[in-house]
Each structure stands twice: as structure tokens, then as C-alpha cells.
Amino acid sequence: MQRQGSIGGSAAIRVRATGGVLLVAHLALVAWLMLRPLDVPWVTPPNLRPLAGVRADLALGWPHAVRPLGEGLGLLAPLGVLLPMAHGRLAVSPLASLLRTAAAGALISLGIALLQTGVPGRVVDVDSLLLNTAGVVLAHLAVVPAGRVWLRRWEARQPGAAGPVLTVQEELSQGRTPTIPRVGIAP
């Protein structure tokens, strides 16, 4: 078994546990916000054309467009930090981490959009999926690379730190496998 670039020790457990707890809390808050029924006198039609809602918001002017666009970008943005934090790896490809996080954010946003189809007063909006995913990507790019650099430097300054643990032996060798000399080999 190999662990590539783990933090190692109790620091890894604390970071992963904190990330996991915050991730669950954030997803519970998002579910409560987005999956509760709305008591509205009318419902807008679903938006299935990419960026049509964004264009409509921008057509109203920047002061009126900031709130809906900010809400779309900010709803799932903490996932850009919490997903890598719950994963807990320091030595990982930045591109692979970004792609994994973006894909997870897009799938969570898609799941919310699909669940909203059964909630009274809620409609599907493809722009929310795009804005939520963009928010996850922007948060990841803004925080995670700098955070990993800081954690690597902090780990290197710890007394007795020989660097990150890159491999772990699954089990020690227990010697040669015993053989029975009476059993011959089949022809």
C-alpha cells in the first residue's frame, strides 16, 4: 500500500477530520438552503440554455447583477478548499487536484439541481451549475496551492521531520515460503 504525499502523523488526522466535519456542515447548510420549498405565487420556467440567465442579469446592469452572480459563485465555493482538506495530501499534482475538485463540485451542483426538480417552487437552472462549478474552481485556485506550500514549510520546520512520508510498507518480509519436498511438479 502506498500513500503518496500524506501529511503524516497527528497533523494529517487533524486536517482530515477538520476538513470532513466542515465539509459535512457546509453540505448540510447548502441542502437546507437549496432544497427547502419556496412559497411563491408563480415559478419561472427552467433555464436550460447555458449563460442565458447570466446575460439577463448583466443586461440589468452591474449593480443588479452582482447579487445573483455572487450567490451562484459563492454557494459551493467553500468546497474548493474543503474537498482537498478532507483528502489531506500535500504532495499531489496541482492540476490533478484542481480537476478532481472541479469534477466533485460539478457533480454536487448537478445533484442539487436534480433534487430541486421535486421541490415546490424550485426550477432547474443550468447557469447555477456553471456558476457553482466556477466558484469551486476559483476558491481552489485562490487558497489550496498557497495552503499546501505553507503546510509543507511548516512540516519541514518541525523538529525531527525528515520530510513527507511518501511510501509505507504494508508488511515486513517474513522469510521464505516453506515448501514440501515430497510433492513433485506436474509434467
Side-chain angles (χ1 to χ4, degrees):
M1 175 172 94
Q2 288 187 344
R3 248 188 310 176
Q4 307 245 339
S6 74
I7 297 171
S10 65
I13 294 169
R14 284 194 308 262
V15 168
R16 286 183 184 135
T18 303
V21 168
L22 290 175
L23 181 65
V24 169
H26 178 68
L27 289 176
L29 175 68
V30 167
W32 179 75
L33 287 172
M34 301 309 295
L35 298 177
R36 63 184 174 164
L38 295 179
D39 188 22
V40 292
W42 70 88
V43 178
T44 60
N47 174 20
L48 300 177
R49 287 189 9 219
L51 303 177
V54 173
R55 282 190 211 104
D57 289 337
L58 291 174
L60 296 174
W62 277 103
H64 297 290
V66 169
R67 183 172 181 219
L69 295 179
E71 287 174 354
L73 288 172
L75 181 66
L76 294 182
L79 295 181
V81 177
L82 295 176
L83 287 170
M85 189 175 170
H87 197 241
R89 292 187 181 188
L90 287 179
V92 66
S93 166
L95 180 62
S97 175
L98 177 66
L99 291 176
R100 266 195 311 267
T101 304
L107 288 173
I108 290 171
S109 182
L110 179 64
I112 290 170
L114 292 175
L115 288 173
Q116 282 181 338
T117 60
V119 178
R122 301 281 184 174
V123 293
V124 175
D125 185 8
V126 72
D127 291 339
S128 66
L129 183 123
L130 296 173
L131 288 172
N132 291 338
T133 305
V136 169
V137 168
L138 291 173
H140 182 88
L141 289 173
V143 176
V144 172
R148 284 187 175 142
V149 167
W150 182 82
L151 283 172
R152 278 190 223 116
R153 287 181 184 162
W154 179 77
E155 184 183 62
R157 285 190 304 237
Q158 296 303 312
V165 178
L166 294 178
T167 60
V168 176
Q169 261 188 328
E170 190 171 340
E171 60 183 88
L172 298 173
S173 174
Q174 296 181 2
R176 253 177 65 134
T177 304
T179 59
I180 302 172
R182 295 176 290 192
V183 177
I185 298 176

